[in-house]
Amino acid sequence: MSAESVQRNGRPSAGPPGRSAAWAGYTGAVLAFVFGLVSFYWAAGGTLGLDTLGGTIQDMARTRDSGFIALVWITGALKVAGAVFSLALVQSWGRILPRPLMLLAGWGGSVGLTLYGALQVGSLLLVAVDIVTPADPIEWKPLLWRLFVWDLSFLVWGILLLLATRHYVKNRPRSAERVAEK
């Protein structure tokens, strides 16, 4: 193992010197923030793009169902909070937060988002390639939007959060490791 492949804490580096996965935190933050803004737009009464949702969700948004609108405000806020969290994983100010909390939220969030996105994309893909036939007629525009945009974004965000959490772990050693470095 060459000296270049060892980090300052003595552990092997995962990649070439100077490379990091911080980009994943920034990209995940942008993705989450943009989708949070879309949620806020729809919650505030915006109608552009509602036809990409389809089915009951589209109907509840168009009729301004109060429970649904409250849920959209909440999901918008969670997406923006997720954007801030994604940044906290790769920014120095994120170090003020307790490491166990960051790891729990990072690993848990990445697993949850990835599984949710993968299950949604997988089930939609089965319908799109005619392996599964739903009871109701297929609305192709919403199906394709969910497959390639809405639900795929959760899968992508989960993977980005996983990479950003891994970056956090590698760049914020445990307290004992920090003391040993001094």
Side-chain angles (χ1 to χ4, degrees):
M1 187 175 334
S2 70
E4 292 87 21
S5 66
V6 177
Q7 293 179 345
R8 16 175 221 159
N9 61 8
R11 289 187 292 176
S13 172
R19 275 187 84 178
S20 86
W23 64 269
Y26 295 110
T27 306
V30 169
L31 179 71
F33 185 73
V34 167
F35 283 96
L37 290 180
V38 171
S39 294
F40 290 146
Y41 168 75
W42 284 335
T47 59
L48 183 66
L50 283 180
D51 61 337
T52 65
L53 299 175
T56 306
I57 294 173
Q58 181 178 331
D59 294 340
M60 287 190 297
R62 289 210 186 276
T63 60
R64 307 285 301 148
D65 178 82
S66 60
F68 178 76
I69 298 305
L71 183 63
V72 176
W73 279 112
I74 291 166
T75 58
L78 288 172
K79 290 171 188 174
V80 170
V84 173
F85 178 74
S86 292
L87 288 176
L89 288 169
V90 297
Q91 287 285 306
S92 60
W93 54 263
R95 293 181 178 160
I96 63 170
L97 300 168
R99 188 176 196 274
L101 177 65
M102 294 292 286
L103 294 177
L104 178 65
W107 295 128
S110 61
V111 167
L113 288 166
T114 302
L115 283 177
Y116 175 79
L119 289 172
Q120 293 295 326
V121 168
S123 64
L124 291 167
L125 190 59
L126 291 173
V127 172
V129 298
D130 206 25
I131 292 175
V132 172
T133 305
D136 296 330
I138 297 171
E139 297 178 63
W140 283 102
K141 182 176 182 177
L143 184 134
L144 294 174
W145 269 84
R146 286 188 56 211
L147 178 60
F148 293 112
V149 179
W150 305 129
D151 293 334
L152 184 62
S153 70
F154 287 103
L155 176 59
V156 170
W157 185 18
I159 293 167
L160 291 170
L161 192 59
L162 176 77
L163 294 171
T165 303
R166 187 167 175 254
H167 170 83
Y168 176 84
V169 168
K170 292 174 75 177
N171 289 288
R172 180 162 182 220
R174 288 181 211 94
S175 298
E177 291 172 352
R178 279 184 274 173
V179 170
E181 288 175 2
K182 292 181 181 179

